[in-house]
Amino acid sequence: MNPRPSMRSAGGKIKNSIVPAGKSRTHHCGCIFPSRFFQRVIRVREMQRVVKLVHEIWPEHYRPIIGARQVEYMLEKFQSRPAIRRQIREGTLYFILRFRRRDAGYLAIRPDRPQPALFISKFYVRRSLRKRGIGRQALAAVELYGLQ
């Protein structure tokens, strides 16, 4: 049996536990990302949700480091809806991270062919939802996905 991550919350935190295959819900794409906590970005409305997260998370984190003008350039070049659509067409998988029915962040991964490896392109969690195990659980699911 292949293990799959369990993401049941307990006391406000997500448990970092593994359950046997078939016991957790998988995403409609057939991968091991549980649909309750990971929503695969495919449609325009999901891309818009990612862009909304981008505009909240990026300026807060990067403006003090690279300045407002550079942040705006990076958002338009790499994190706009057309840029996300292009990346998805080129094979990048985007996921919205969910916590208590809210968009908590997003991640993007790309298979690194021909090696059996994954490249983590983006991995962001809202500041207000950090320290709850969301990133840890997401990384565990990415690791398991990479082992498939």
Side-chain angles (χ1 to χ4, degrees), residues 4-21:
R4 293 197 175 147
S6 171
M7 304 189 112
R8 295 177 180 92
S9 63
K13 293 197 176 196
I14 296 176
K15 288 185 188 177
N16 190 9
S17 61
I18 305 297
V19 296

Side-chain angles (χ1 to χ4, degrees), residues 11-12 19 28 30 32 36 42 45 48 51-52 56 61 112 114 118 121 143 147:
V19 296
H28 67 271
I32 58 98
R36 183 174 169 203
I42 299 171
R45 71 175 170 259
Q48 290 170 319
V51 169
K52 183 177 177 186
E56 177 185 335
H61 180 77
D112 191 5
L118 284 176
S121 175
E143 183 178 20
L147 295 174

Side-chain angles (χ1 to χ4, degrees), residues 4 14 22 27 30 32 46 58 64 69 75 82 96 100 132 138 141:
R4 293 197 175 147
I14 296 176
H27 195 272
I32 58 98
E46 293 149 358
W58 265 66
R69 193 176 300 164
L75 292 179
I96 296 170
R100 294 186 178 170
R132 296 171 192 236

